[in-house]
Amino acid sequence: MENTAYKSNEKPDFSIGRGKKPLYVFYFALLLSSIMIIAFAIKRGFFVPYTATSDCDFVYISQVLLWYSDFKMTYLGHNGYFFILLLSLWIKIGALLGSLKEISIYGFEQSSNVADFYSPLVFAGRFFVLFLSVAFIVIYGLIVKSITRSFILGAAAVLLLSVERGLLLHSVIIRPELVSSLCFLIAVYCLFQSQKESNQFWIYPW
């Protein structure tokens, strides 16, 4: 059977969307997509009560508190362990900057109001996932542009992703899927890069 793998002199030619003008279009699409995600998060509200979202906000913040109180975390069966570590680092930075007063479970014992204790931590977590969402769409666009070698296709990809319901929801709720998806994207990009280095394109980029 004939080998259909691309050799070094048979790489697909993506001539669409090159030059200075498509480059400007691509970076404008990145900026517009980021603004759309931030606007959605603002419209939804960063500072709505933490009980308004029946999701994992409370769960992951509680794991961070256990982490900083030298207790064993109780949610290790989930694949969001790395996300918890990143969220813990984010909250620790907030505490060092003075925006968060208490980041241990002992503060909960001393607090007279649950909402007053948990709300600032949940708000900080929401800003963290918004940061992850913007970073995700920027890295996604750069990866698409690099693989296809087309600024126009990269711009189209980020604009389509910016209105995707799942990404918008993950910009306002504290969940670990964005980190997992980002790791997957980077792994796919490394796979394509390895094929380029070996002078073969056995995966059709289109």
Side-chain angles (χ1 to χ4, degrees), residues 11-203:
K11 290 182 180 180
D13 179 23
F14 299 100
S15 58
I16 181 174
R18 296 181 180 179
K20 287 188 176 181
K21 288 185 178 179
L23 173 63
Y24 298 147
V25 170
F26 172 71
Y27 286 115
F28 176 76
L30 285 180
L31 178 62
L32 180 60
S33 299
S34 301
I35 292 175
M36 290 170 62
I37 294 175
I38 295 173
F40 175 82
I42 293 175
K43 180 176 176 57
R44 189 265 185 183
F46 286 109
F47 303 107
V48 296
Y50 72 92
T51 54
T53 303
S54 179
D55 209 85
C56 294
D57 294 10
F58 186 84
V59 174
Y60 285 107
I61 293 299
S62 298
Q63 299 308 302
V64 172
L65 294 176
L66 291 174
W67 171 269
Y68 282 120
S69 303
D70 295 326
F71 287 103
K72 290 183 178 180
M73 289 188 287
T74 60
Y75 206 44
L76 296 180
H78 193 270
N79 61 357
Y81 179 70
F82 183 58
F83 172 79
I84 295 174
L85 296 182
L86 293 177
L87 180 60
S88 300
L89 178 61
W90 178 272
I91 288 180
K92 182 66 174 181
I93 293 173
L96 292 175
L97 294 177
S99 60
L100 297 173
K101 296 181 179 180
E102 183 60 60
I103 58 172
S104 71
I105 204 70
Y106 302 110
F108 176 73
E109 297 176 351
Q110 301 170 1
S111 177
S112 59
N113 189 302
V114 176
D116 290 342
F117 176 74
Y118 265 101
S119 293
L121 297 169
V122 172
F123 298 156
R126 289 174 181 168
F127 279 102
F128 176 62
V129 294
L130 176 61
F131 169 78
L132 282 182
S133 300
V134 174
F136 181 87
I137 201 165
V138 170
I139 294 174
Y140 172 76
L142 293 174
I143 288 177
V144 172
K145 188 264 295 180
S146 177
I147 291 176
T148 62
R149 289 174 285 171
S150 169
F151 293 117
I152 297 300
L153 293 179
V158 296
L159 289 175
L160 290 174
L161 184 64
S162 66
V163 296
E164 201 274 323
R165 181 175 179 268
L167 180 63
L168 293 175
L169 287 178
H170 280 82
S171 68
V172 294
I173 58 177
I174 304 174
R175 291 190 64 88
E177 283 79 6
L178 273 181
V179 173
S180 301
S181 300
L182 184 57
C183 292
F184 174 76
L185 274 180
I186 295 174
V188 170
Y189 177 70
C190 291
L191 175 62
F192 274 97
Q193 288 298 106
S194 66
Q195 295 305 304
K196 288 172 63 177
E197 293 297 328
S198 62
N199 293 327
Q200 287 186 345
F201 263 93
W202 57 271
I203 295 179

